[in-house]
Amino acid sequence: MRITQGTFSFLPDLTDDQIRAQIEYCLGQGWAISLEYTDDPHPRNTYWEMFGMPMFDLRDAAGVMTEVQAARGTFPDHYIKLNAFDSTRGFETIRLSFIVNRPLHEPGFALGREEAAGRTIRYTIRPYATDRPEGGRYS
Amino acid sequence: MATANDRMATTEMADRYRAGVLKYAQMGYWRPDYEPADSDILALFRITPQDGVDPEEAAAAVAGESSTATWTVVWTDRLTAADTYRAKAYKVEPVPGSPDQYFAYVAYDLDLFEPGSIANLTASIIGNVFGFKPLKALRLEDMRFPAAYVKTFDGPPTGIVVERERLDKFGRPLLGATTKPKLGLSGRNYGRVVYEALRGGLDFTKDDENINSQPFMHWRDRFLFCMEAVNRAAAATGEVKGHYLNVTGATMEDMYERAEFAKELGSVIVMIDLVIGYTAIQSMSKWARRNDMILHLHRAGHGTYTRQKAHGVSFRVISKWMRLAGVDHIHAGTVVGKLEGDPNMVQGFYNILREPHNAVDLQRGLHFDQDWAGLRKVMPVASGGIHAGQMHQLLTYLGEDVVLQFGGGTIGHPMGIQAGATANRVALEAMVLARNEGRDIWNEGPDILAAAARDCLPLRAALDTWGEVTFDYTSTDTPDFVPTSTPA
């Protein structure tokens, strides 16, 4: 399977040129870019690990791309996403977020069902990858 | 000892309150000298006076009947600070291009209204006055609410920013579809449509406005099957998914019961219809806030009073009331789809729902400056006769913070529902990518879609099926003010 989190997951994986163009768009809007990585792609895993601090003062797309390459070099088998943060009053949130690296093989998720009273079912989603300990899940 | 001036005033007051009938203007409801206070609530009415009724008197009558007046003089006014409580018509101007219509501006003192109650507000502003005989027709065009009044409302329980953070979806419009056929499916078959659409790439699916608890599908059955579909699709894609479970019912007790069940099943969103009424909407808003639930509002019924320009209530006013009342989603038009919607008017509604502050923008029907005082933003929903081939137009007109709902445009896809959903999602992501790259999507849109379709068979099939479908009818609710070009 292919997890489809992030803004552009239904398109073929973006090339570095395409990623650079999106970075330029974000920087042009005045947003700060940050990179995050994880090997637990549960849809409600909000806090992926931060690959360094948000790059508030880096206004150069080539510099951001260097960080993307560094993150890929360090975590080649992890999910890595690029977030663009807007500190404008009324937003103060992420405005664009897309995956720039994903493991070769994505085993997907198990859906657990616990039958409860009155036909109610309690659902739980579990990534198959998290059966293995953090750090070695996709290698 | 009384001065000459006092005597004159006393004499005037005695005349003013002598039993009998006075013109509304003479009773003090027409005040062309009045400077509206920052704390006043302002309303703009489009009035069509009966023949022989002058527009100032008609405006005064509207001010009177929507505040303190009755048809005759009452001495008990003198037991109150009547001049404060009287609404004041302070400006009347002809409507451009409509010779028998006038814009009447009315100011209301803040203390005329109960804090935080749309029911109380509307009982005055659109109460008796809309049936008033001296007017042929009356339309409430716009309102201005002072920050002090705005702050008495909780507003949207979730709002655009928090909704996106909860769903972990950023940078693009959200995608939805309404289950079709809207009536007749059993719970099990209904859930099939939900699963296929979410699995194929939509973020949300939706109950239609008239899906409640009918013989062919009781509500509990629908909720159970839909949540199976939502969870299956989430596990298959790794994304948060949702289905707007319509909790509209005959009584508040029914609605609370349905909403509680939706919560128990883990739904992220519930839905209500505008026809449940303002009080019920505010009750459900408070429930949603207590239960971390996104609240979707379907504007069922609004067309009966929003569509015709001469009489009723503009949807821009409904948009303002609903942001105050506190809903997270509201259907607000598509521009390009099958339902009424002039581009300028629709953008006016969207701006009301999404902006922190609205400046006067006559072309979009915004007659007042409105500060939303930190009230959360409502996500507009575009639904009704839209398809993947219009993606560049939708993104240009409606922007990013919107739910695009392709019902027929998903479920009617020749290769099936999943393919229909995938076509929409690919078209959307390709268009956002291209816009961010700086391309001119308005003109290059069809090329961008064609290029994306080379990698995506479902999108190619969608463009082949619906590429040429348009709904090109003249709107009835159109701007009164059009920009005039000035000579260079």
Side-chain angles (χ1 to χ4, degrees), chain B residues 135-358:
Chain B
L135 301 170
K136 278 185 195 158
L138 177 64
R139 189 185 201 219
L140 179 57
E141 288 287 339
D142 201 0
M143 293 194 76
R144 191 284 304 268
F145 301 105
Y149 185 72
V150 172
K151 282 291 188 189
T152 65
F153 288 86
D154 287 338
T158 314
I160 291 175
V161 168
V162 176
E163 173 170 352
R164 286 190 176 283
E165 291 190 343
R166 276 192 205 163
L167 300 175
D168 191 35
K169 293 173 193 287
F170 305 98
R172 62 170 172 86
L174 302 177
L175 283 178
T178 307
T179 311
K180 305 282 175 182
K182 57 185 182 181
L183 296 171
L185 291 170
S186 71
R188 182 182 170 121
N189 293 331
Y190 195 91
R192 166 60 72 185
V193 178
V194 171
Y195 172 69
E196 297 292 323
L198 295 177
R199 175 74 177 85
L202 303 192
D203 304 300
F204 288 125
T205 48
K206 174 180 176 295
D207 285 342
D208 224 330
E209 73 283 6
N210 51 358
I211 273 289
N212 301 138
S213 196
Q214 281 103 325
F216 51 80
M217 177 170 61
H218 289 160
W219 67 273
R220 291 180 66 96
D221 228 28
R222 182 171 84 256
F223 284 23
L224 286 161
F225 280 115
C226 286
M227 289 314 296
E228 170 73 16
V230 165
N231 284 292
R232 276 282 290 118
T237 60
E239 284 187 84
V240 179
K241 302 279 186 183
H243 177 82
Y244 316 158
L245 292 167
N246 188 351
V247 302
T248 298
T251 65
M252 278 315 297
E253 291 73 23
D254 289 338
M255 291 204 285
Y256 284 136
E257 183 190 359
R258 294 173 192 191
E260 287 292 339
F261 192 52
K263 178 182 77 168
E264 192 187 322
L265 296 177
S267 183
V268 295
I269 186 163
V270 295
M271 162 185 166
I272 50 176
D273 291 336
L274 183 59
V275 290
I276 67 174
Y278 303 133
T279 298
I281 290 170
Q282 286 197 260
S283 289
M284 288 310 299
S285 177
K286 288 187 189 297
W287 181 91
R289 190 173 267 256
R290 278 196 304 278
N291 292 285
D292 305 308
M293 194 71 85
I294 301 168
L295 184 62
H296 178 97
L297 179 77
H298 186 113
R299 56 176 175 170
H302 83 96
T304 55
Y305 47 86
T306 60
R307 188 175 186 190
Q308 299 301 326
K309 264 175 91 169
H311 191 85
V313 180
S314 165
F315 192 73
R316 84 181 58 86
V317 176
I318 303 295
S319 300
K320 288 187 177 179
W321 292 348
M322 290 303 104
R323 186 166 176 181
L324 292 172
V327 300
D328 291 316
H329 288 185
I330 184 171
H331 292 247
T334 64
V335 180
V336 298
K338 69 178 177 182
L339 302 175
E340 170 74 28
D342 172 85
N344 286 304
M345 298 289 98
V346 170
Q347 283 173 343
F349 310 152
Y350 276 56
N351 290 349
I352 284 166
L353 297 167
R354 297 190 300 201
E355 301 291 323
H357 175 267
N358 304 129

Side-chain angles (χ1 to χ4, degrees), chain B residues 400-443:
Chain B
E400 205 165 275
D401 283 328
V402 56
V403 186
L404 302 176
Q405 299 227 151
F406 303 88
T410 299
I411 297 157
H413 193 283
M415 294 163 62
I417 300 170
Q418 278 196 34
T422 303
N424 288 320
R425 180 78 173 263
V426 169
L428 177 69
E429 293 189 2
M431 202 56 66
V432 171
L433 186 85
R435 182 201 63 181
N436 296 358
E437 286 171 353
R439 293 183 65 185
D440 171 10
I441 61 169
W442 184 259
N443 289 308

Side-chain angles (χ1 to χ4, degrees), chain A residues 1-12 14 17-18 21-22 24-25 31 41-46 48 81 85 89-97 108-111 113 117-125, chain B residues 161 164-168 170-172 199-201 220-221 224-225 227-229 231-232 234-241 261 264-266 268 356 374 377 400-401 422 425-426 429-430 432-437 452 455:
Chain A
M1 65 89 71
R2 173 185 172 88
I3 70 163
T4 46
Q5 298 171 19
T7 310
F8 303 119
S9 282
F10 269 72
L11 303 179
L14 301 193
D17 283 344
Q18 286 177 308
Q22 295 300 312
E24 276 166 6
Y25 168 74
W31 302 338
H42 189 285
R44 288 191 167 83
N45 176 15
T46 305
W48 293 21
K81 67 183 170 189
F85 192 91
R89 174 86 183 93
F91 285 99
E92 294 150 286
T93 188
I94 294 169
R95 298 297 296 277
L96 185 66
S97 172
F109 303 86
L111 181 64
R113 292 183 183 81
R119 289 184 60 230
T120 302
I121 295 174
R122 306 208 173 285
Y123 297 94
T124 183
I125 290 173
Chain B
V161 168
R164 286 190 176 283
E165 291 190 343
R166 276 192 205 163
L167 300 175
D168 191 35
F170 305 98
R172 62 170 172 86
R199 175 74 177 85
R220 291 180 66 96
D221 228 28
L224 286 161
F225 280 115
M227 289 314 296
E228 170 73 16
N231 284 292
R232 276 282 290 118
T237 60
E239 284 187 84
V240 179
K241 302 279 186 183
F261 192 52
E264 192 187 322
L265 296 177
V268 295
K377 299 181 277 193
E400 205 165 275
D401 283 328
T422 303
R425 180 78 173 263
V426 169
E429 293 189 2
V432 171
L433 186 85
R435 182 201 63 181
N436 296 358
E437 286 171 353
D455 293 322

Side-chain angles (χ1 to χ4, degrees), chain B residues 29-69:
Chain B
Y29 296 101
W30 168 239
R31 290 277 303 278
D33 56 328
Y34 182 73
E35 279 285 328
D38 287 346
S39 59
D40 284 346
I41 288 181
L42 304 180
L44 170 65
F45 293 92
R46 177 195 302 263
I47 56 176
T48 312
Q50 296 281 9
D51 299 340
V53 176
D54 74 31
E56 288 76 16
E57 173 61 11
V62 169
E65 287 295 321
S66 62
S67 62
T68 55

